[in-house]
Amino acid sequence: MTDQDDKKWVEAAKKDPSAFSELYERYVDRIYNYIYYRVSNVHDAEDLTSRTFYRALSHLQAYKDRGIPFSAWLYRIAHNLIVNWHRDRGRRPVVALDGLVLKSRLSECPEDVAEYQDDTRLLREGMRKLDPIRQELLVLKFSQGLSNAEIGEIMGRSEGAIKSLYHRTLLALRKELAKKGLHIE
Amino acid sequence: MMAQMQRTVRPGWWRLGDLLRQLARRLPGVGPLSKNSPSSDALESAARAALRPVVPSGDFREALRNNLSFAAQGKMAGLSVECPKPFRQGIILGLSAGLLAATIATLVVVLRSRLSHSEG
């Protein structure tokens, strides 16, 4: 999945909108995942994912690659919809707390599983205490696996600024976790 | 002479190096959190595990794919693309049901009054 491939499919979809299905297949999981961790529930994540792709299809003619890849453009649409969604509900953006899966740990003893669950809950609670920009950065970094440069394109900041923000975010997260008695060493 | 001095000084440097390394381990919050810091690696791993990627349900993916394909066809035909809003459909259905119920109730009242007039 490269920017060059995206460019090819975007140009194709501008001429024939049915080619948009290829872009949908490439990004639906990532966009859903990004939205899910910003709105905290499946129902709204599905609704906002739908709106993101409808808006992208509707405004595709207006998209011009001026150094911003199609993926970053799509994330920005999702980001704006999330911001509006939170504003309409008067709520602070939060990292989702549900959907915890004990992958590959089910065979371990119940005490370990319970401890793991508890640590994960505390960790997510700690993330919820961070400001929305830092929460977004953590989701893009860890859930999406994006590089600092890619995150910079989405958040409209330089790679250096993201690197610095990331370090400050980890420090803030560590501080929040320490308040809850969780020390990750 | 030089060799003897080196033998005397070297253990001192090593001990100082050890002390500095121990100090750095005991003060994880001091200085920038570097990529190589073992504690930052542990925190990153924990955060990665807590934000494990999730995927949408197959039904949702399929439904959205079909809806977008339909919207793309409409766009080709010159129609505007608009995300269907479930609450609007609910309002339309509710209004339709209300209108139908009101019509039936009116008919029943009118028919009854005519029947009672004809009987009277």
Side-chain angles (χ1 to χ4, degrees):
Chain A
M1 199 189 295
T2 64
D3 287 351
Q4 287 305 318
D5 288 343
D6 281 354
K7 274 182 193 169
K8 190 181 78 183
W9 284 108
V10 167
E11 289 313 312
K14 280 182 178 178
K15 289 174 192 141
D16 174 9
S18 63
F20 186 77
S21 61
E22 177 64 29
L23 295 165
Y24 168 76
E25 293 298 339
R26 283 168 177 241
Y27 289 105
V28 63
D29 286 353
R30 291 167 64 179
I31 293 296
Y32 174 85
N33 188 37
Y34 169 65
I35 295 173
Y36 172 79
Y37 276 114
R38 306 292 313 286
V39 300
S40 306
N41 73 79
V42 171
H43 179 75
D44 289 317
E46 287 182 349
D47 182 37
L48 291 176
T49 303
S50 301
R51 289 199 214 177
T52 301
F53 282 98
Y54 268 95
R55 190 172 285 189
L57 176 61
S58 169
H59 293 80
L60 197 62
Q61 297 296 338
Y63 167 71
K64 286 186 177 58
D65 184 4
R66 294 196 187 102
I68 298 170
F70 174 75
S71 58
W73 183 69
L74 205 55
Y75 275 107
R76 284 189 187 182
I77 293 176
H79 169 81
N80 290 337
L81 288 169
I82 292 165
V83 169
N84 290 345
W85 184 86
H86 282 293
R87 191 194 55 210
D88 292 347
R89 281 154 187 79
R91 288 201 308 234
R92 184 188 159 101
V94 291
V95 169
L97 285 170
D98 52 348
L100 174 66
V101 178
L102 298 168
K103 197 177 116 190
S104 77
R105 280 189 158 251
L106 294 172
S107 57
E108 294 172 16
C109 71
E111 287 82 5
D112 284 352
V113 172
E115 191 183 342
Y116 172 76
Q117 239 175 342
D118 208 37
D119 286 356
T120 305
R121 184 180 56 79
L122 287 173
L123 194 59
R124 289 185 183 183
E125 279 178 10
M127 289 178 193
R128 289 175 67 160
K129 298 276 182 194
L130 302 176
D131 71 47
I133 290 171
R134 288 177 175 179
Q135 287 186 36
E136 182 175 15
L137 172 61
L138 290 177
V139 171
L140 291 169
K141 186 92 181 168
F142 295 124
S143 187
Q144 303 280 295
L146 299 179
S147 67
N148 288 342
E150 289 169 317
I151 295 170
E153 282 166 348
I154 293 164
M155 295 178 77
R157 294 172 183 224
S158 70
E159 188 179 352
I162 294 296
K163 196 175 173 184
S164 164
L165 179 66
Y166 176 60
H167 284 163
R168 289 200 306 275
T169 300
L170 283 188
L171 286 172
L173 180 59
R174 188 185 299 284
K175 210 170 168 181
E176 285 297 334
L177 297 179
K179 279 185 204 167
K180 293 173 183 299
L182 183 64
H183 299 275
I184 297 176
E185 303 275 332
Chain B
M1 181 73 176
M2 279 296 285
Q4 194 181 356
M5 268 179 69
Q6 277 179 346
R7 272 197 300 274
T8 317
V9 169
R10 201 176 285 162
W13 277 113
W14 285 344
R15 207 169 299 139
L16 184 64
D18 281 348
L19 275 171
L20 285 172
R21 273 191 291 277
Q22 280 176 20
L23 192 67
R25 271 200 295 274
R26 286 181 186 189
L27 294 170
V30 174
L33 202 55
S34 81
K35 261 288 203 190
N36 303 324
S37 155
S39 55
S40 86
D41 285 350
L43 185 58
E44 285 176 333
S45 302
R48 196 168 283 116
L51 296 175
R52 211 178 46 78
V54 290
V55 289
S57 73
D59 287 349
F60 166 74
R61 268 172 137 268
E62 184 71 29
L64 183 55
R65 184 190 301 123
N66 292 338
N67 289 343
L68 283 169
S69 169
F70 189 67
Q73 285 171 17
K75 198 180 178 193
M76 280 288 274
L79 298 173
S80 67
V81 177
E82 205 176 328
C83 185
K85 289 177 181 162
F87 71 90
R88 275 196 191 164
Q89 288 168 1
I91 289 170
I92 290 166
L93 278 174
L95 282 175
S96 306
L99 204 64
L100 188 67
T103 310
I104 291 168
T106 312
L107 279 174
V108 168
V109 169
V110 168
L111 284 174
R112 271 193 182 175
S113 64
R114 280 192 180 178
L115 276 173
S116 61
H117 276 296
S118 63
E119 280 170 6

